[in-house]
């Protein structure tokens, strides 16, 4: 049986959930793909663990100080890296160094944090192309909601004319709370924070940056664009008053924070802002912490997906969906080379 060694850099809520789910699914990987998938290394910012024979679930509680960093991951012998560190799109975050080293060495990468992909997406794409490594990012691109899969697989061959997405759960939750209770932004945020439905600092979400990051990933990795944050018009929800909420409600309109990509004269335009929808529109029904995406293409018309999962399991499962795609692609390689000898 073939062995596939996997490492995880970034071992907080999502990294741990991914490790646990991967270990639970080892029998599935053996049965379906004939591959012994081993978790050979994990690390946080200061500590980690490594075992070439595969870590077991019981070992993951106590990490050893000093075992961390891109060189530690490289030394583990993993051929797949799952990156789940903190996301910082302005600097690229710690994930950038892990991804540069892994992709340059030809390791397949499954990326969950958005920062490095937004900061240096085209460069990372080029490193992957040059080394032949696979670069997957479902966990970073709205996780449980299928987005890149729709662009890359379901609409393959079509020209995508427009993408519209409710891509951030926190802002959708807040806009719903404002609408149903007639509150302005500040009052709704205070109430959500008091109830534990929003974090202490939600500016990344409410100012629209998280949606803009996900939109850039869809543009650059789903549609082959080379956009940067400067190309995106970004508006958040923090200026929404109770009066605006009331006026929309009287017109039967539901506000959503959406990211939009549109082809205008052959150029891809990107924007994030509030858009209102009549109750008859499916986007008006995407309540609470749900997310949604609507794609318009030349030949397949309009496609809509709506989804939400319980975190951090949903994001872990999105990352391991990428692992399944890597296992499928690896399984297909020998057959391809037999059919088409070099
Ligand atoms: N939570 C969600 O539902 C969700 C959904 C989709 C995507 N994401 C993304 O997933 C990523 C992880 O989220 P999370 O909720 O798991 O965050 P978290 O609990 O804060 O965990 C972050 C982890 O990254 C580690 N880290 C920091 N610097 C590092 C470095 N230089 N090398 C290695 N590890 C480093 C931290 O280590 P220490 O423990 O030592 O500090 C911690 O283990 C974020 O980028 C987030 O945006 C999260």
């Amino acid at each position: 049986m073939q062995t596939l060694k996997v490492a995880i850099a970034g071992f907080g809520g999502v990294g741990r959930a991914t490790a646990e789910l991967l270990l639970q699914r080892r029998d599935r990987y053996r049965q379906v793909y004939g591959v012994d998938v081993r978790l050979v290394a994990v690390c946080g910012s200061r500590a980690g663990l490594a075992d070439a024979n595969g870590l077991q679930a019981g070992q993951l509680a106590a990490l050893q100080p000093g075992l961390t960093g891109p060189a530690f991951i490289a030394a583990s012998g993993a051929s797949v890296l799952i990156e789940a560190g903190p996301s910082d799109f302005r600097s690229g975050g710690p994930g950038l160094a892990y991804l540069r080293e892994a992709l340059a060495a030809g390791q397949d990468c499954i990326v969950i944090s958005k920062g490095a992909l937004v900061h240096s997406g085209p460069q990372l794409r080029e490193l992957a192309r040059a080394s032949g490594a696979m670069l997957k990012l479902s966990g970073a691109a709205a996780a449980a909601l299928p987005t890149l899969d729709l662009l890359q697989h379901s609409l393959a061959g079509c020209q995508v004319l427009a993408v519209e997405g409710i891509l951030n759960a926190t802002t959708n939750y807040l806009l719903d709370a404002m609408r149903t209770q007639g509150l302005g932004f500040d009052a709704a945020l205070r109430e959500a924070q008091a109830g534990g439905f929003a974090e202490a600092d939600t500016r990344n979400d409410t100012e629209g940056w998280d949606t803009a990051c996900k939109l850039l990933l869809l543009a650059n990795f789903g549609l082959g664009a080379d956009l940067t944050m400067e190309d995106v018009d970004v508006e958040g929800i923090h200026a929404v008053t109770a009066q605006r909420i009331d006026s929309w409600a009287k017109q039967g309109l539901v506000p959503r924070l959406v990211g939009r990509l549109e082809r205008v004269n052959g150029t891809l335009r990107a924007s994030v802002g509030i858009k209102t929808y009549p109750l008859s529109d499916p986007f008006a029904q995407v309540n609470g912490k749900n997310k949604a995406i609507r794609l318009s293409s030349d030949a397949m018309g309009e496609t809509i997906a709506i989804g939400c999962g319980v975190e951090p399991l949903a994001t872990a499962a999105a990352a391991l969906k990428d692992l399944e795609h890597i296992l499928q692609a690896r399984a297909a390689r020998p057959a391809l080379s037999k059919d088409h000898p070099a």
Side-chain angles (χ1 to χ4, degrees):
M1 182 173 290
Q2 284 182 12
T3 299
L4 184 76
K5 295 182 177 179
V6 178
I8 299 179
F11 209 53
V14 172
R16 280 182 182 275
T18 306
E20 284 160 16
L21 194 59
L22 182 147
L23 294 177
Q24 283 165 27
R25 290 183 175 176
R26 283 187 76 192
D27 282 347
R28 171 183 162 77
Y29 301 139
R30 284 193 194 96
Q31 284 159 15
V32 176
Y33 304 103
V35 177
D36 176 20
V37 176
R38 293 184 193 171
L39 180 63
V40 295
V42 300
C43 71
S45 66
R46 291 180 300 270
L49 280 176
D51 186 340
N53 294 317
L55 294 161
Q56 307 298 319
Q59 291 174 272
L60 301 178
L63 305 186
Q64 292 170 17
L67 301 184
T68 183
F72 162 70
I73 293 291
S76 72
S79 47
V80 176
L81 169 68
I82 300 178
E83 194 277 313
S87 186
D88 181 345
F89 72 90
R90 292 182 177 91
S91 70
L96 190 52
Y98 285 95
L99 293 173
R100 278 187 179 141
E101 176 140 355
L103 289 171
Q107 285 177 335
D108 296 332
C109 288
I110 295 171
V111 191
I112 298 177
S113 71
K114 292 171 280 292
L117 297 167
V118 172
H119 183 270
S120 297
Q123 186 207 26
L124 295 173
R125 225 172 41 194
E126 178 52 27
L127 276 175
R129 194 203 57 74
S131 72
M134 285 179 269
L135 175 56
K136 304 279 184 187
L137 47 134
S138 296
L145 177 74
T147 55
L148 286 170
D149 283 348
L150 294 177
L151 291 169
Q152 293 169 339
H153 299 280
S154 308
L155 298 184
C158 293
Q159 192 188 28
V160 175
L161 306 172
V163 177
E164 184 175 50
I166 300 171
L167 302 173
N168 180 270
T170 302
T171 45
N172 204 51
Y173 176 90
L174 284 169
L175 281 172
D176 256 9
M178 290 155 81
R179 190 170 55 86
T180 53
Q181 299 170 48
L183 299 175
F185 172 74
D186 291 329
L189 180 59
R190 274 196 302 275
E191 200 164 291
Q193 284 168 333
F197 301 110
E199 290 174 16
D201 185 354
T202 58
R203 281 173 299 177
N204 203 34
D205 298 322
T206 58
E207 292 175 3
W209 299 114
D210 181 73
T211 301
C213 284
K214 288 168 184 160
L215 197 65
L216 271 185
L217 300 188
L218 299 187
N220 291 352
F221 291 90
L223 300 176
D226 278 327
L227 301 186
T228 68
M229 207 45 108
E230 280 77 52
D231 299 312
V232 192
D233 287 332
V234 185
E235 180 203 9
I237 66 167
H238 44 290
V240 176
T241 60
Q243 288 74 19
R244 270 176 96 191
I245 290 286
D246 186 47
S247 155
W248 287 324
K250 284 183 178 139
Q251 298 170 69
L253 296 174
V254 178
R256 301 285 178 214
L257 184 74
V258 291
R260 284 183 60 79
L261 296 170
E262 254 175 314
R263 279 189 206 281
V264 181
N265 300 328
T267 306
L268 207 56
R269 290 234 180 107
S271 62
V272 175
I274 292 177
K275 197 174 161 196
T276 55
Y277 297 89
L279 289 168
S280 56
D281 191 294
F283 268 33
Q285 312 302 328
V286 181
N287 296 320
K289 293 214 160 186
N290 276 295
K291 297 177 202 155
I293 189 163
R294 171 162 30 210
L295 306 167
S296 308
S297 71
D298 57 350
M300 289 201 205
E302 200 171 275
T303 305
I304 294 183
I306 297 175
C308 171
V310 177
E311 296 297 355
L313 177 64
T315 297
L320 295 187
K321 170 184 72 175
D322 286 346
L323 179 64
E324 300 247 353
H325 290 158
I326 287 173
L327 285 162
Q328 287 161 11
R330 283 174 170 250
R333 276 178 190 163
L336 271 182
S337 56
K338 237 183 277 159
D339 288 350
H340 306 284

